[in-house]
Amino acid sequence: MGRSRLSPTPIFIVLCLSGIVVALACQVPVFRYALERWAPAEYLVSVTPSGGGLTDSEKKLVEALRAAPGDAVNPANIEVQVEAPGSSSPAQLALHYPNKLRDAAGKPIWQVPLNDENVRRLVDSPARQELRQRLLAGESAIWVLVESGDRAKDDAAFAALAQSLEEAAGSLKLPDGVVTQAAVKSGTRVNEQADVLRTDLPLKISFSTLRVRRDDPAEVVLLAMLTHMEPDLGGLAGEPMAFPVFGRGRTLEPLVGAGIHKGNVIEHSTYLCGACSCEVKDQNPGIDLLVAANWSPVDTTPQLEIIRIAPTAETPPARRTPTIPIAIVVALIALAFVAMRRRSRIRHSDFRPR
């Protein structure tokens, strides 16, 4: 069982600090802000030809990969790089995390021969198609349960997750002060564009689950992305893992085994449904996944009438918030995220079994 909580976790610390600056923060909830405004980071796809170079069929596969980011239907967040010829035959295809997680040695998270089947598996998969559909429908988060292969453990974890999400959906509240597109279209005048939703999608708290077998050949790329995001996850393959996916295919660190319980699920869900106090994506927890999707339906800038009210004798100027206190709060939030990374192993003991 997980250790007792003697001190708040870094996410909880961030939530507390965020409350200090709630008046300054964007009130759009994190899951919706991420969907409408955070572009996914690009994964590096490297191709290493055999000693004799790429064959004609391999060159066509490379061109297909290079065309994937510009696909008119579902563009993929990848960049393609052809390496110098190596000694392996056939040519090799390797997938690397985006820059934020790419280690200095460039070690790939998935490496296979370059062939048509592996190219298809890299770009898309049934589970990622389902994630894309649900995210574009406006769901707050889809909790992906990566099964361990032990039926009893997996069923127990799924039941605990489903019950916890039901309680979270019933108890959590959306932030106040968010302006919908319907309100804008009805003539509402606003003076803070950061709190305006960019789409007509209903704003609601809605969670769902998706189970993925650890040995599913169609999901090898999704599994590689999820199970390599923390260095110690490989040693926990015998436990079910729950990953909350939100925004444009972004996920937080997983809950593992006995760590899949109401307290942890509600903590993650509280962050996702709370006001987006830090609008810079890379200063928030989590990583982006490779999801081929056309996010353009949620990537539009609304046409708003921004009202600027000039001070008058009857209307005294609004009091300016001192710069130094704001800077201190921002620094504290940044330190909390640093602590999150440094204490990941300690923190994981809350989310994982002994």
Side-chain angles (χ1 to χ4, degrees), residues 8-22 277 329 333 336:
T9 64
I11 282 184
F12 183 73
I13 294 172
V14 172
L15 290 171
C16 292
L17 291 172
S18 299
I20 299 173
V21 290
V22 65
S277 58
V329 172
I333 293 175

Side-chain angles (χ1 to χ4, degrees), residues 44 46 83 94-97 101-109 111:
L44 172 63
S46 62
E83 308 289 348
L95 181 66
H96 306 253
Y97 275 128
L101 288 180
R102 204 173 297 162
D103 58 38
K107 184 178 180 181
I109 59 173
Q111 185 166 350

Side-chain angles (χ1 to χ4, degrees), residues 242-288:
F243 298 80
V245 180
F246 64 102
R248 301 187 183 189
R250 189 171 179 84
T251 184
L252 300 179
E253 296 168 348
L255 308 183
V256 181
I260 304 173
H261 60 71
K262 183 174 72 172
N264 287 334
V265 171
I266 289 182
E267 181 180 311
H268 277 52
S269 301
T270 299
Y271 163 73
L272 293 171
C273 296
C276 189
S277 58
C278 182
E279 299 166 17
V280 180
K281 183 184 72 172
D282 285 345
Q283 293 179 6
N284 282 268
I287 67 165
D288 296 325

